Each structure stands twice: as C-alpha cells, then as structure tokens.
Amino acid sequence: MLQIGIIGTGWFSGVHADLLAQTEGVRLQAICGTSREKAEKLASAYPGAKGYSSLLQMLESERLDAVYICVPPMAHGEIERELIARGIPFLVEKPIALGLELPIALEQSIRHKQLVTSVGYHFRYKATVDRMKAELEGQTVAMAAGEWSGGMPQVSWWRRQDGSGGQFIEQTTHIVDLLRYTAGEVEEVYAAYGNRVVHEQYEGVGVPDVGSVTLKLASGAVASIINTCALPSGVHRAGLTLYTGRGMLDWTQERLEIATTEGREQVTDPTNPYAAETEAFVHALRTGDTSRIRSDYADALRTQQVTCAALESAASGRPVKLKRL
C-alpha cells in the first residue's frame, strides 16, 4: 500500500486527493496546510488521513512513499529541499517557482538523487494532444498561435509579482508547455506586457494584465502567445493552434479541430488528464518505470525558462536568447 501526503489545502489539493482516494493500492495518509484547521478540514473527507500544519512534523510522523505539492509559486523551495534530502518522490503543481535560480538548483539535486518527479502539466495527458502529435508526424510546423485569456484570480497572492510571478509564469505556462511538447524547443523570446484594466479595479495589483510574446523555435518555426487577466468573470479562452503545410490543428481543452483541404474534423476529449497524470506517477512509484510521466522536473524546468525569459524581455524591451540548461 502506497502512503501519500499532500502539501496544500486549495482546490488542486482536493482534485488530487479525490483521485488518490479512488486509486487502488493507495492511501491518502496526510495533508499539510498553513494551519492545522485547514489541513484537518480537508483530511476529514478521507478516512485515515491526518492533518498537519508543519511539514517537518508530517514527515517525521508519517512514512510517506510520495508527496503532492500544491502550493502558490512563492511557497516553493524549502518543501522540495526537504523532500529531496529525505529521498521522497513528489508531484508538484506548476509553476515550479517564481524564477529560474531556485528550480535550477533543485533539478541538480533531484538528478543527483535520481528521484522520481512529476510536474502538473496535465494538458500533455489529453487524448486530443495525443491525436495532435500523431497528426504532426511527417509534417513541418510553420508557426503557432496560443492564448490564455480570462479574469483576475481572486486570491491576493496572485496579483503580486512576488506572489505569482505574473500571468505568463502562473497560468499561460500551460500553453508554453504545450507548444514545447508538440512543436519543439524555444530558442528566443520577445515580450511586451502592459497594464490596461485590472490595476484600476483592484488594489495592490503589481502584475501586468496584458501580454504578447513572440517565440522562435529551434526548428525555425515562429509562435505567438497572448494572455490577459482583464476579462470579466466567466469569460475565458485558452488554446493553441499549429499551422502546417497540410492545414491547421486548433486545440482547446474541450476539443481538437483538424482543418485540411479534405475538410474539417472535430475530435472531442472525454479523458480526465488529472487521472492519467496520477496513474503515470503511481505506476512509476510502484515499478520505477517513469516512461508514462510526460513532464518530470527537468522537462518542466525548460518551460519555466521560457516563461521567465518572457518576463525578462518585457522588462528590458529586448529579445532574450535561451541558454542551454
């Protein structure tokens, strides 16, 4: 029986907790929150789970085979260092940090320990993404266009640069990662950010509410990704379109539309990518076979590098060439 802990008590923690509780041969053993009250409240929904307000107390009291890390961007660092030191595998929700220096150091330690890791880029586990990659076989991606547009998340840390890192790092990272996964690595980034609406609606907003990022890929393809958090509540769009000599592959979370000279095909996606992500991680814990994990920490670090390069470019007004990590 695998015994797994969760750090964090937000929505994502509940999603992962439900899936773990439904997984055969897995016990959700412990939950750690910023307060014991929050941790025990979430833990009470899962028989046998205990709540903790101290990471060290949880790790000293429980024999955990793995931990899920579901915390805001600014909270990373000490959690990962403690798990790595103890040799405890972990699945961490994106983004893996605010910047780049911390995850580079953590990745080196993970590699040294040969630790099993997974990062929550769940779009990679969608059946429509599998189909998109299959359609790209033998095709040349000419360019790509991505988007993450919606409203301002109603948590105070998100509107601070030192809390979330900004929308491109905290949310749009999903689209950057999907671009990398389907079209290849990014070599250069140029970004322009602005403040148009949100700073007049809320107090203490230190992050841009609009952004446009141009990316050059190693293949020679070019891409553009836009994002905004200035839209009203309930208005949201996120997706990625790839353009090839054969046509267009237009992906959203709900469906994939394939457009060629032969017509249009729309493919829906009933799969639960979080469930597939958990299955892959649990399989690796049981067998040591990590081949089903589609984004480990080292891979996620390259997505983090792109999003951090965009922030650097927007601040300097100059393109940023990515160095090999």
Side-chain angles (χ1 to χ4, degrees), residues 123-189:
F123 287 166
R124 292 188 177 209
Y125 295 88
K126 298 282 283 183
T128 44
V129 172
D130 289 339
R131 176 66 185 276
M132 183 160 58
K133 285 175 70 70
E135 290 290 327
L136 287 172
E137 288 291 331
Q139 297 290 313
T140 297
V141 176
M143 71 173 190
E147 177 179 6
W148 188 289
S149 300
M152 170 72 76
Q154 296 304 299
V155 284
S156 59
W157 57 262
W158 200 93
R159 62 191 65 173
R160 303 193 331 262
Q161 189 65 42
D162 64 356
S164 66
Q167 187 178 23
F168 204 76
I169 285 175
E170 208 284 320
Q171 289 181 325
T172 317
T173 183
H174 275 302
I175 304 303
V176 173
D177 189 74
L178 191 59
L179 175 69
R180 286 188 52 245
Y181 188 57
T182 56
E185 297 298 343
V186 176
E187 287 192 335
E188 187 175 345
V189 175

Side-chain angles (χ1 to χ4, degrees), residues 62-102:
E62 307 289 348
R63 184 194 64 78
L64 298 177
D65 296 295
V67 168
Y68 278 55
I69 306 171
C70 308
V71 299
M74 74 288 187
H76 291 290
E78 188 56 37
I79 295 169
E80 289 88 343
R81 281 190 286 265
E82 194 63 42
L83 294 174
I84 294 167
R86 294 169 183 260
I88 299 175
F90 60 85
L91 184 152
V92 56
E93 273 300 337
K94 61 80 221 164
I96 54 177
L98 285 172
L100 201 55
E101 184 178 352
L102 171 65

Side-chain angles (χ1 to χ4, degrees), residues 39 56 60 67 121 123-124 149 175 184-185 224 230 258 265 275 316 319:
L56 291 179
E60 291 291 340
V67 168
Y121 285 111
F123 287 166
R124 292 188 177 209
S149 300
I175 304 303
E185 297 298 343
S224 175
I258 304 168
E265 177 186 2
S316 69

Side-chain angles (χ1 to χ4, degrees), residues 275-294:
E277 180 183 61
T278 285
E279 187 280 328
F281 184 57
V282 169
H283 173 77
L285 296 177
R286 285 175 174 152
T287 67
D289 172 19
T290 60
S291 62
R292 299 183 189 180
I293 294 175
R294 299 190 176 183

Side-chain angles (χ1 to χ4, degrees), residues 199-210:
H199 66 289
E200 296 179 349
Q201 297 175 329
Y202 303 97
E203 293 184 0
V205 177
V207 296
D209 63 359
V210 294

